[in-house]
Amino acid sequence: MKAAADLFARLDDPTGPDAKIAALLGYFQTAPDGDKLWTVALLSGRTPKRIVTANQLRAWAIACAGLKDWLFEDSYRVVGDLSETIALVLPPPSRHENHSLTHWIKTIKRLSRMDEETRKSAILNIWDGMPAAERFWFIKLLTGGLRAGTSESLLIRALAQLTGQDEPAITYRLNGTWSPDTTTWHNLIEASDPQLALSHPYPFQPSQQVENIADLGNPAEWQATHAWGGARCQFILRGGSHALWSQDGALITDQVPELAPLRDFLPDGTVIEGALRAFAGDAPLGADAVHARITRKKITKAMRAETQLVLIANDLLEHDGSDLRQSTLDIRHKHLKNHLTSTPDQLPLRLSSAVEFASWSDLETQRQTARTAGADGLLLRHRDSPYLASKTMRWIWNAPPLTVDAVLIYAQAGPQSRANLFTEFTFAVWNGQTLTPFTRTSTGLTDADLAELSTWVRKNTQSKFGPVRQVTPTHVFEIAFDDIHASPRHKSGVALRFPRVLRWHKDKPVTEANTLDDLKDMRATYG
């Protein structure tokens, strides 16, 4: 357990990704296979079920340590973590039992079958054989709350370096409903699997924002389609099985079961690149609905009924097992259209329809109305271009941003290099007669603006909350953003994508700022 506890502690430190990968590699190179397997399970979210409540552990620790309730609660407030508080207040251990991580997880499973008094006695005895650092992580395992400070993507990178496999292969291996009770380290990570190569995606073609549309040359040589919010992905059908990969390297096949029927209608050896869109019936939903689906570990029938996902096909990268990426866009699109004519209309696969235009000014008109169609903007590609990952031949022309006038109410100082300036600001809109905060940003203001605002903030601070200053509501700013969606986590009920300051309305009174109803109307229209 000591090696695992040391690893989790190193991962929990606010270090960079390289240090965390080094810690993972060092651990995997020396740990026994059983511990390596359980560590992969824990770091990928496969934690044991909780067998005791926080209140039970709190009561047992208070009694064991001989503390008053108020003293424990004061300690908890200072430490900030219940597991760490318990680990620290318990008496020093009378012995040290040096068992493996696998041993303790098997012990936890046995504890789950005991009655409460027997379980309590067993846990107190285990605590008496553990130093505080190991107790802390053992308590996290007891409560099902182990969350080491690393992402699954870093785990995948470390395992790829350890085994010499590429990251998609490791991602594929870790996908699914496996558990350490049903597999081994060798079978999960090392054994050959012919499906690995078949499931691999192609590198995605990079996108770039259009700065000046006229620089692209002759408009007749370009194809334009709507650029949809959601998740860019590749649907892969090879060897009778399908896989769905997001652009960020996540295997999301199980999160989008709607696409499984496509196996019966598309030819084997097909790879389609597209974007996922979410619908509630016939009504399109925002990008947040897509991400809410593809980031869930398990998809229920209720989730599928509430949000249906559809693949909007943009490109065909493989046709009948042949790599089409060197072919022109027009050729690839011809094959893609043929594929889609063979699939029933009720299947969740649609062709991204072309936006017709004769000149760049025509296309500018289409861009202005892209949000009305539910799109984020326009996707532009040269008709003769291949699909290459090393060159930018894919251009995004974003729709004009949404904007709202808001009042500055909070300011926070910048990082160490800019600690003499206030660089992060919270903005509010009117909700009746009160101002409701709805977004925060540090983007869009010039250095001159920041210097002027910082001087003003120091003179107009009403109160301080740690590094945050509440200021007199005086200044109105135009806030631009790319998307708005519902968010129960925010007091305003909405959240913005990429908020930034567009301009400072120095002469505008705060009474003319927008309202929360205005934001909700935007969400209903564009969210």
Side-chain angles (χ1 to χ4, degrees):
M1 182 68 174
K2 182 181 186 307
D6 288 345
L7 172 67
F8 296 148
R10 291 179 67 185
L11 296 178
D12 215 35
D13 280 343
T15 56
D18 290 343
K20 293 185 178 184
I21 290 175
L24 287 164
L25 286 172
Y27 174 82
F28 286 130
Q29 287 165 352
T30 58
D33 283 359
D35 282 10
K36 290 191 292 189
L37 183 62
W38 266 111
T39 299
V40 170
L42 294 172
L43 295 181
S44 59
R46 295 167 172 84
T47 55
K49 291 183 179 179
R50 183 182 69 180
I51 66 167
V52 290
T53 67
N55 286 336
Q56 286 175 321
L57 291 176
R58 183 196 312 257
W60 299 346
I62 289 172
C64 182
L67 296 178
K68 298 291 186 181
D69 286 357
W70 66 265
L71 182 55
F72 181 90
E73 294 305 321
D74 279 358
S75 302
Y76 180 23
R77 277 191 288 271
V78 172
V79 174
D81 182 280
L82 180 62
S83 298
E84 186 174 2
T85 305
I86 292 174
L88 292 173
V89 302
L90 288 170
S94 63
R95 65 190 191 284
H96 184 197
E97 296 186 8
N98 189 19
H99 295 297
S100 67
L101 173 64
T102 304
H103 167 86
W104 288 122
I105 290 178
K106 289 181 178 179
T107 299
I108 289 171
K109 292 185 177 183
R110 289 196 298 271
L111 291 171
S112 68
R113 298 189 290 270
M114 299 177 182
D115 61 73
E116 183 176 332
E117 279 303 313
T118 306
R119 185 183 304 131
K120 171 186 174 182
S121 177
I123 289 174
L124 292 176
N125 183 58
I126 291 169
W127 283 345
D128 191 40
M130 280 184 172
E134 294 178 36
R135 286 174 181 164
F136 171 68
W137 295 106
F138 180 73
I139 294 168
K140 291 289 188 183
L141 290 172
L142 287 174
T143 59
L146 192 148
R147 301 288 186 272
T150 189
S151 63
E152 191 168 352
S153 63
L154 285 185
L155 172 66
I156 290 167
R157 285 172 58 187
L159 290 173
Q161 292 183 32
L162 178 76
T163 62
Q165 303 176 58
D166 59 24
E167 292 180 23
I170 297 297
T171 302
Y172 184 86
R173 289 179 181 276
L174 298 189
N175 190 56
T177 57
W178 65 271
S179 81
D181 296 323
T182 59
T183 189
T184 65
W185 170 263
H186 173 74
N187 289 339
L188 181 69
I189 301 298
E190 299 172 336
S192 63
D193 184 346
Q195 193 61 37
L196 284 176
L198 295 177
S199 72
H200 268 36
Y202 290 109
F204 282 81
Q205 187 175 41
S207 301
Q208 186 166 314
Q209 299 292 330
V210 172
E211 297 293 338
N212 183 2
I213 192 66
D215 290 343
L216 297 184
N218 184 358
E221 297 176 355
W222 291 83
Q223 182 203 76
T225 58
H226 283 117
W228 303 109
R232 194 176 170 196
C233 60
Q234 286 183 31
F235 175 87
I236 298 166
L237 177 57
R238 300 189 187 113
S241 297
H242 82 286
L244 188 68
W245 292 85
S246 69
Q247 186 179 8
D248 60 6
L251 184 60
I252 55 174
T253 313
D254 293 341
Q255 282 68 41
V256 195
E258 293 96 325
L259 300 187
L262 294 177
R263 293 178 302 191
D264 298 328
F265 296 95
L266 294 173
D268 204 60
T270 294
V271 178
I272 295 174
E273 193 235 75
L276 291 172
R277 290 197 71 199
F279 292 84
D282 294 329
L285 302 175
D288 59 305
V290 175
H291 290 287
R293 273 285 300 273
I294 66 176
T295 54
R296 294 295 294 264
K297 287 289 185 182
K298 184 178 180 181
I299 304 302
T300 64
K301 290 183 178 179
M303 292 176 193
R304 289 189 60 180
E306 181 179 345
T307 305
Q308 302 93 45
L309 297 185
V310 173
L311 177 61
I312 308 297
N314 284 324
D315 216 329
L316 185 68
L317 310 186
E318 189 174 311
H319 171 60
D320 288 338
S322 297
D323 186 346
L324 289 185
R325 291 177 296 160
Q326 293 294 338
S327 302
T328 67
L329 175 64
D330 279 347
I331 291 175
R332 300 196 306 272
H333 250 236
K334 178 181 177 182
H335 288 299
L336 181 60
K337 289 178 181 177
N338 289 338
H339 277 327
L340 267 66
T341 56
S342 65
T343 59
D345 291 342
Q346 65 268 28
L347 289 181
L349 178 64
R350 305 283 185 273
L351 181 66
S352 186
S353 56
V355 174
E356 301 297 334
F357 65 102
S359 65
W360 293 130
S361 60
D362 287 345
L363 196 60
E364 167 63 20
T365 302
Q366 298 279 11
R367 184 180 79 98
Q368 294 289 337
T369 59
R371 291 192 185 279
T372 305
D376 286 350
L378 300 175
L379 169 63
L380 304 172
R381 291 172 292 172
H382 198 280
R383 296 183 180 278
D384 289 336
S385 65
Y387 188 99
L388 299 179
S390 59
K391 296 181 69 176
T392 300
M393 298 181 176
R394 173 190 173 98
W395 299 86
I396 302 295
W397 200 13
N398 283 334
L402 300 169
T403 63
V404 65
D405 287 340
V407 181
L408 172 65
I409 59 171
Y410 298 115
Q412 185 171 341
Q416 291 181 352
S417 61
R418 309 187 81 185
N420 62 325
L421 293 175
F422 289 92
T423 61
E424 189 164 304
F425 304 97
T426 300
F427 298 92
V429 288
W430 290 106
N431 183 15
Q433 299 300 310
T434 62
L435 286 166
T436 297
F438 73 99
T439 197
R440 183 173 62 182
T441 185
S442 58
T443 304
L445 290 168
T446 66
D447 288 345
D449 288 337
L450 292 175
E452 183 179 348
L453 263 180
S454 296
T455 300
W456 180 86
V457 166
R458 294 186 186 96
K459 295 178 179 179
N460 293 272
T461 297
Q462 292 183 342
S463 56
K464 298 180 182 180
F465 310 96
V468 179
R469 296 196 182 196
Q470 182 179 4
V471 297
T472 306
T474 305
H475 293 293
V476 176
F477 292 80
E478 186 175 1
I479 307 300
F481 49 97
D482 292 341
D483 193 15
I484 181 170
H485 56 85
S487 175
R489 297 188 298 109
H490 292 81
K491 184 177 182 180
S492 63
V494 298
L496 311 184
R497 180 158 63 93
F498 188 30
R500 65 269 192 194
V501 175
L502 195 60
R503 61 180 55 88
W504 184 355
H505 291 304
K506 294 186 177 181
D507 297 327
K508 193 167 193 173
V510 294
T511 55
E512 294 183 11
N514 282 97
T515 67
L516 186 58
D517 285 341
D518 294 333
L519 284 174
K520 291 179 178 179
D521 288 344
M522 286 184 181
R523 180 183 61 79
T525 303
Y526 302 112

